[in-house]
Amino acid sequence: MKFLAGLLLAATAVQAHYTFPRLVVNGKSEEADWSATRRTKNADSKTGVLSATSGDIRCYSSQNAANIMTVPAGASIHYISTQQVNHPGPTQYYLAKVPEGKSASNWDGSGNVWFKIHTTKPKVDANKQMTWPAQNEYVLTNATIPAATPDGEYLLRVEQIALHMAMQPNGAQFYLSCTQIKITGGGNGTPGPLVALPGAYKTNDPGILVNLGSIQPDAYVGPGPAVWSG
């Protein structure tokens, strides 16, 4: 009986976790899972990254993708999730421009190259419970590629930070993906601040080490730099 209970608990834990294998741009999905989105190490296990300072915090990828997806500047984007995103926490989107002479198909995204374009904050629902945009959905919240983003190839990174165990060090769980994209029709903006991943987050950042039961919704601020909106 104990063995069976353990199996059921493990199965429940897996079902509560998720991956984001497919980007949707202006309502059109990439052609297949992991076709332009890099396959993540948790594609089968669905487990999140527990260390905000590990190398996996960048893209958590196990292999590069075969394709580069075209994304117009100003486009609305979101990701499809393999399971219901039921854990509380913010969704954040980042971009990193691929350097001249390199390709999004194999660039590793190292250095102070990442800038944030979107984050979410909680609110209190009619039942006086703290909820988050797209919580309990099978898609992540929409974000917009800033119209001023310069043309070129980029890595697009999304993360959903599960904070249900975040009151203890390394209790936050990071679920993330990176997609190889080419932005077209963009502008002449200067994105920033630029940060490195890993490097932008610390384990004790207040957006990572936090007890959701002891804060007001408007007091929560996601980790990382300020959002660049163009």
Side-chain angles (χ1 to χ4, degrees):
M1 289 297 290
K2 288 184 178 180
F3 176 71
L4 178 59
L7 287 178
L8 290 173
L9 184 61
T12 301
V14 170
Q15 288 301 314
H17 298 164
Y18 28 83
T19 61
F20 313 128
R22 198 179 296 208
L23 173 67
V24 178
V25 179
N26 286 337
K28 183 177 181 180
S29 169
E30 62 181 283
E31 60 187 34
D33 289 356
W34 314 119
S35 62
T37 299
R38 295 179 175 180
R39 185 179 178 88
T40 49
K41 294 179 181 178
N42 66 338
D44 296 319
S45 71
K46 307 296 188 290
T47 56
V49 177
L50 297 180
S51 172
T53 60
S54 75
D56 283 336
I57 203 68
R58 184 184 301 157
C59 286
Y60 203 16
S61 55
S62 60
Q63 64 187 55
N64 297 332
N67 301 310
I68 298 174
M69 191 171 183
T70 299
V71 180
S76 175
I77 60 171
H78 69 266
Y79 281 81
I80 295 172
S81 178
T82 52
Q83 272 87 22
Q84 188 180 49
V85 182
N86 55 358
H87 291 318
T91 299
Q92 304 198 125
Y93 288 81
Y94 286 79
L95 285 168
K97 195 171 193 303
V98 178
E100 289 292 330
K102 297 186 180 295
S103 171
S105 63
N106 53 33
W107 180 54
D108 66 359
S110 59
N112 292 307
V113 293
W114 295 93
F115 58 98
K116 188 192 294 184
I117 62 169
H118 181 84
T119 190
T120 59
K121 291 179 71 69
K123 63 180 181 180
V124 175
D125 65 15
N127 296 317
K128 297 184 178 180
Q129 298 294 314
M130 186 183 294
T131 63
W132 300 76
Q135 187 175 350
N136 297 321
E137 301 290 342
Y138 287 86
V139 295
L140 293 180
T141 184
N142 287 332
T144 300
I145 301 293
T149 307
D151 289 354
E153 293 187 3
Y154 288 78
L155 291 181
L156 170 66
R157 175 184 179 275
V158 68
E159 66 182 1
Q160 194 271 336
I161 310 175
L163 299 176
H164 57 296
M165 298 293 290
M167 70 290 293
Q168 59 192 21
N170 294 319
Q173 301 169 10
F174 296 81
Y175 297 92
L176 54 103
S177 282
C178 286
T179 306
Q180 301 162 182
I181 68 171
K182 180 179 181 180
I183 293 179
T184 60
N188 297 311
T190 305
L194 300 178
V195 299
L197 292 166
Y201 297 170
K202 300 187 295 295
T203 301
N204 61 349
D205 282 345
I208 295 174
L209 181 61
V210 58
N211 184 346
L212 293 181
S214 65
I215 66 168
Q216 294 299 313
D218 57 2
Y220 180 83
V221 178
V227 169
W228 182 76
S229 58

